[in-house]
Amino acid sequence: MRIEFPNSPREDFHWDGPALRVGSAPDNDLILAAHQAGAYHLRIQLDRRGWVLQVLPQGNRIYVNARPVREKALLRAGDILSVGDCRMLLRADEEPAHNLPVTVPAEGRCTVALRAVAGPLSGRVLSLQEKLELGPHGRIPLELPQGETASLAVFWRDGQLMLEAGQQSARYPLRVNGVPVTQAALRPGDQIGLGMHRFVVDAPGLEPEPEIAPPEPERQHLPEEDAGPRGEVWWLIATAAVLALGIAVALLVRF
């Protein structure tokens, strides 16, 4: 993961470990100023779900995409994390252009939607047929601070789900997983960001089919297993043989 500090001269911070500690104490992995963070303010940990933010006891005033977090939050690339007056943009390490594209035939196109997770449109789900345009001349306008204007379009091209910037804003660039783009191929789970707007790509049909492991063959049940342990079976056989021999001897003595 890469952390960018918007509107700050501070250099980007790279992190590839399983856990990241953030605070003002000098033994943190990422050190912030004392007026911004407590000594041990928060921890970001990687697990099977992704990046998980945990607020530590000394932590306060933590926001993810302008929403307060009191204990834990699931993070994704493209989120804005605010600690005091420090803003941190979480970015993917790889550029979207370097990702392997997902291509589907025209007859296999699935339902695609943009799920708004932050900003004025938060909570809305915007479905895509052939093309979805957002902005001044699109289906839904995008409000930006300081009267800025920008637009974007999501559409199918040659079997790929594409994102393209229309009218661009120098102050608020279009981003995919935190990385500025003018055009990019999208994959399920990607986060599109423009100013305070955040959209997550929901496209179940583009996700790889899960591998189904064949069931293990059932073990054949043997009749002698009902007779008890292995030693008990042989003891019964031996007992039967002794009884048969005894009966035979008794018959011979009698006659």
Side-chain angles (χ1 to χ4, degrees), residues 68-123:
V69 177
R70 300 187 183 280
E71 294 183 5
K72 289 186 177 182
L74 189 61
L75 303 175
R76 66 172 71 240
D79 285 341
I80 289 283
L81 177 61
S82 300
V83 181
D85 61 359
C86 178
R87 298 175 72 248
M88 295 175 279
L89 170 66
L90 308 184
R91 292 183 49 166
D93 286 323
E94 295 184 357
E95 300 286 334
H98 298 161
N99 294 333
L100 294 177
V102 179
T103 305
V104 296
E107 62 274 10
R109 290 181 184 174
C110 61
T111 300
V112 174
L114 300 186
R115 177 165 46 90
V117 295
L121 301 176
S122 182

Side-chain angles (χ1 to χ4, degrees), residues 3 11 13 25 39 53-54 60 67 85 98 110 124 135 143 146 150 152 176 178 180 194 211-212 219 237 241:
I3 298 178
E11 295 183 356
F13 177 84
L53 164 69
Q54 180 182 0
N60 54 29
R67 292 185 176 181
D85 61 359
H98 298 161
C110 61
R124 297 188 60 176
E143 299 178 17
Q146 287 86 41
L152 63 90
V176 174
L194 182 59
E211 295 185 4
I212 302 177
R219 182 173 173 270
I237 295 174

Side-chain angles (χ1 to χ4, degrees), residues 46-66:
L46 182 64
D47 67 11
R48 58 182 179 81
R49 297 169 294 175
W51 301 331
V52 179
L53 164 69
Q54 180 182 0
V55 182
L56 299 179
Q58 296 184 14
N60 54 29
R61 297 182 61 195
I62 296 179
Y63 297 85
V64 175
N65 297 329

Side-chain angles (χ1 to χ4, degrees), residues 135-136 142-151 167-170 172 194:
L142 295 175
E143 299 178 17
L144 293 176
Q146 287 86 41
E148 292 277 339
T149 57
S151 64
Q167 184 177 355
Q168 300 184 51
S169 166
Y172 302 103
L194 182 59

